[in-house]
Structures are given as C-alpha cells and as structure tokens.
Amino acid sequence: MNLSSGVSYLAIPGPSVMPERVLMAMHRSAPNIYEGELVNMVPDIVDRLKQVARTQHDVAIYIANGHGAWEAAISNTLSAGERAVALATGTFAHGWSEVAQRMGVETEVLDFGQRNAVDSERLVERLRKDRDHEIKAILAVHTDTSTGIRNDIEAIRSAIDDAGHPALLMVDCMASLGCDRFEMDAWGVDVMVAGSQKGLMTPPGLGFVYFNGKASQARNGADLVTYYWDWRTRVVPEVFYQYFAGTAPVHHLYGLREALLMIEEEGLENIWARHTAVAEAVWAAFDHWGQEGSLEVNAPDHSIRSHSVTALLTGSEKATALREWCESRAGLTLGIGLGMADKSAPEWHHFFRLGHMGHVNAQMILGALATVEAGLKAVDLPHCPGGALKASELIAARA
Ligand SMILES: *Cc1c(COP(=O)(O)O)cnc(C)c1O
C-alpha cells in the first residue's frame, strides 16, 4: 500500500523546504529592472542579510550556488601561487580547497577525519611553523553538511590569534546561516560565504560573500579577481546593474525579501532556539534507536553536532532501502550519505542524512521521525523501538 500522497517533506540538507510565502512572493511577472520597486528594495535586502550574519561589514550577492560563492571569496582575496589551508571535517572543506587549487592557489588540507571537529591545537602548531607567513587564508566550514559536524569558529579564531598569524579567516556558513548561532563580527571572521537554499529558505541560485575591512584590503592585492566576481562594484555600485554585474535575479530577490521578513518576524535568537530543539528531538530519537543494532549519529559528541543536519551511520546496507521506503511509501525524502563512501561501493548504502534546516517545525520533525521509525521496521533495520516517542517527549519538554 502506498501512503505517500499528501504534503511531502524534502528532508535533505538543501535545498530546504521553501515556505509558501516565499514561493508566492516569487510568483509575478518581472518588474522594470532599471527603476522602481526592485531597485528600491535591494539596499534593504542587503541590510537584512547583514543582520542575519551579525555583521556591520559588507555583503556581495551573486547569481550563483555555493560553489560560485566559494570561487568569489577566493578570487577577491588571493593571488595565484599563494597558500591557503583548509580545515576538513567532511567533504566540503575538501571541495572549497579544490576550487581554490584549480584557480592557482597552493592549497593544503588539515584533515580531522569525519567524526571529529577541528582541533585548534593542531592549527596553532601548523601556523607557528609558518614563520614567513606564507599562509594567506584559513578555509573553515562552520557546519559540514556531509558529516553533520559543527566547528567552533571562535576557537579557530583564537588559534589564529594565539599563533600571532595574519591569515584571513574565511568561513563557509552555507549550511548554518539562519540555523545555528553565527556572529561574524564578534567572532572575528574576515570572509563568510553562504547560499540562498538552506537556512535562508529561498530557491538555490543566490550566493553571498560577506567581507570585512581586512578582507577588503586583501582584495586590493588579489590577482585572481575578475570582472564578474569582483565584490567591490557589487557593494558600492555606481549604477543599479552593478549590484549583480548584469540583470538582477528578480524573482530570487522577491523570494529572499519575503524569507528575510519571516526571519525578522520570528527573531534570529528564536530561530536558533527552534533549530536547537528540533535537532535535539532528532538526536533523542536516533540515540534511542541506536541502543540496539548499529544505527548511530555520526558526530558522537552533542557539542559538535550541527543543529541543521544530522548524518547517520546504519552499519548495514539498508540505508538506501530505508530512504526508498520513506520516500515512496510515506512522502518523506531523506538525504544520501554524501562523502562517506564511493557510490559504487557497498558501503554507499550504509549512510543517510536528515536535513532539519530553515522552515521546519515540531510537527514536521515528529512526523519525519515517526516515519523513519516505521521505515526502520519495514526494512528490518535493527533498532531499539520507541525513538519517536523520545523525540515527542523532548518536544513536549521544550515547547
Ligand atoms: C550546500 C553546501 C555547499 C555547496 O553549495 P552548492 O549550492 O551545492 O554549490 C558548500 N558548503 C556547504 C557546507 C554546504 O552545505
């Protein structure tokens, strides 16, 4: 029997669930792109984007996905042959590092494995060895979406300061902005990259690069910068089209404006608290199920778990069957186990992820978790029954 008709939940870690309000705001014919409402509303969008990142500094908007934002950040700050160090706790730091390398940057990866956060001691050690300050940038990922590991950005900042090193701190907040606490200015982040399609609840297609004064100075010496990626004209445009180096992404801007309004209405602190409660419900369920069999949350320690995505290890090849059951029988789409194994290897089927970022509330997550529990039973994946009840008890205690 198929029970999937009805409202489905795309519980992959991006693109996230798009609110009806955002979709409705986009549903219009294009306005004049030279004057009028569109031109007038962009400065306000820019201000709100800064508030979400807790910064007074600048943000450039690109028509791009996260990979584009990565490239934009590198091109404005570095020159060919300069060195950058990526701090890897999953796939995404490797990805950013590869982008930089292909642009001509000498990259080096400090790898902390897939189940640990960045060890700041190791970073201090590496930076102290760099007496001539050849390292120009540290590429960090706040939440690695492949492993569900959340790194302590303040501790990484302190490590750089303890080593007395001048490298720029560049942070990927693609999966954490609008979900987990992030304080760009208070934490001393020089460059931050994000995208529209995760915590910001807007369709994929906009990339954001935030930068402070120190990064702005680096821009003056960077030889990788090109016309399209140049952030300078995008933040102080002489004419409107320079915000986007061409035609504005009209519909995305209407959607984003609505999403930012929703964020203001709920309040950033409340949004972080909601993500925390929803994540804790997810952990309560999985930690309970994991008491029997070999199902477990990838990040062992609660303090390094992301509040927007959870990566799961099943210890068997049944993760794919579980995902297929949840999607085809019950209308719940779970994420694949990105970066944990090669797609052709049997281990590929050991992993899955649950996205709980952006427009997600208690009833959605309880529905998703009860559905996962039904799926665990249906595909006969060994577990301790009752995890969905644990999640509902947690929600009752928090709400
Ligand atoms: C999604 C994501 C990206 C890449 O974004 P794309 O839009 O797929 O290019 C980069 N870093 C992190 C941490 C992400 O979650």
Side-chain angles (χ1 to χ4, degrees), residues 296-319:
E296 61 178 320
V297 174
N298 177 57
D301 180 354
H302 283 210
S303 70
I304 62 165
R305 287 183 184 174
S306 153
H307 295 115
S308 56
V309 54
T310 303
L312 288 316
L313 319 176
T314 68
S316 79
E317 287 172 31
K318 288 192 169 161

Side-chain angles (χ1 to χ4, degrees), residues 13 65-68 70 92 141 143-145 172 174-175 197-198:
N65 58 17
H67 283 68
W70 276 345
F92 287 94
V141 177
T143 282
D144 193 295
T145 323
D172 172 342
M174 223 77 79
Q197 78 270 29
K198 295 180 184 179

Side-chain angles (χ1 to χ4, degrees), residues 111-381:
D111 199 333
F112 301 90
Q114 297 190 314
R115 305 195 67 183
N116 292 302
V118 168
D119 172 3
S120 305
E121 289 300 309
R122 258 181 77 195
L123 177 59
V124 173
E125 245 172 66
R126 177 65 190 91
L127 291 176
R128 287 208 170 118
K129 273 193 214 149
D130 182 37
R131 294 218 175 74
D132 298 335
H133 296 162
E134 282 175 359
I135 297 167
K136 299 298 178 200
I138 303 298
L139 310 181
V141 177
H142 190 201
T143 282
D144 193 295
T145 323
S146 63
T147 54
I149 304 275
R150 181 171 48 91
N151 287 301
D152 183 344
I153 301 302
E154 280 181 289
I156 293 172
R157 171 81 264 168
S158 301
I160 299 171
D161 293 345
D162 288 351
H165 201 287
L168 291 172
L169 172 57
M170 318 230 289
V171 182
D172 172 342
C173 287
M174 223 77 79
S176 57
L177 190 68
C179 305
D180 255 306
R181 175 178 292 278
F182 177 78
E183 310 264 1
M184 176 159 170
D185 294 353
W187 294 358
V189 172
D190 299 307
V191 176
M192 187 271 272
V193 297
S196 52
Q197 78 270 29
K198 295 180 184 179
L200 299 186
M201 308 178 287
T202 303
L206 296 180
F208 309 106
V209 180
Y210 293 77
F211 58 96
N212 67 9
K214 184 175 170 187
S216 217
Q217 278 188 328
R219 155 68 187 76
N220 296 332
D223 75 9
L224 290 173
V225 71
T226 59
Y227 177 94
Y228 188 77
W229 293 128
D230 194 356
W231 66 30
R232 207 147 55 183
T233 38
R234 287 173 185 259
V235 300
V236 205
E238 281 165 28
V239 279
F240 180 72
Y241 84 85
Q242 288 182 340
Y243 267 115
F244 307 102
T247 304
V250 174
H251 295 85
H252 277 75
L253 291 172
Y254 277 107
L256 179 64
R257 180 174 71 160
E258 193 65 25
L260 291 167
L261 263 179
M262 290 174 69
I263 288 172
E264 180 179 277
E265 285 165 15
E266 185 176 358
L268 205 47
E269 302 271 351
N270 293 333
I271 290 172
W272 294 335
R274 172 167 54 80
H275 279 82
T276 302
V278 163
E280 286 174 351
V282 171
W283 308 341
F286 280 99
D287 288 345
H288 181 87
W289 289 326
Q291 291 174 318
E292 286 169 33
S294 42
L295 184 61
E296 61 178 320
V297 174
N298 177 57
D301 180 354
H302 283 210
S303 70
I304 62 165
R305 287 183 184 174
S306 153
H307 295 115
S308 56
V309 54
T310 303
L312 288 316
L313 319 176
T314 68
S316 79
E317 287 172 31
K318 288 192 169 161
T320 301
L322 175 70
R323 284 194 299 102
E324 284 170 1
W325 187 92
C326 287
E327 183 167 58
S328 67
R329 304 302 174 94
L332 169 70
T333 304
L334 299 168
I336 57 168
L338 199 66
M340 305 298 266
D342 197 286
K343 203 164 180 177
S344 58
E347 291 77 35
W348 167 260
H349 302 288
H350 284 209
F351 310 106
F352 69 99
R353 292 174 302 157
L354 181 63
H356 33 96
M357 49 178 59
H359 197 53
V360 179
N361 61 16
Q363 61 91 7
M364 290 165 75
I365 208 66
L366 290 178
L369 292 168
T371 301
V372 168
E373 182 147 5
L376 292 172
K377 197 161 175 53
V379 306
D380 197 20
L381 202 157

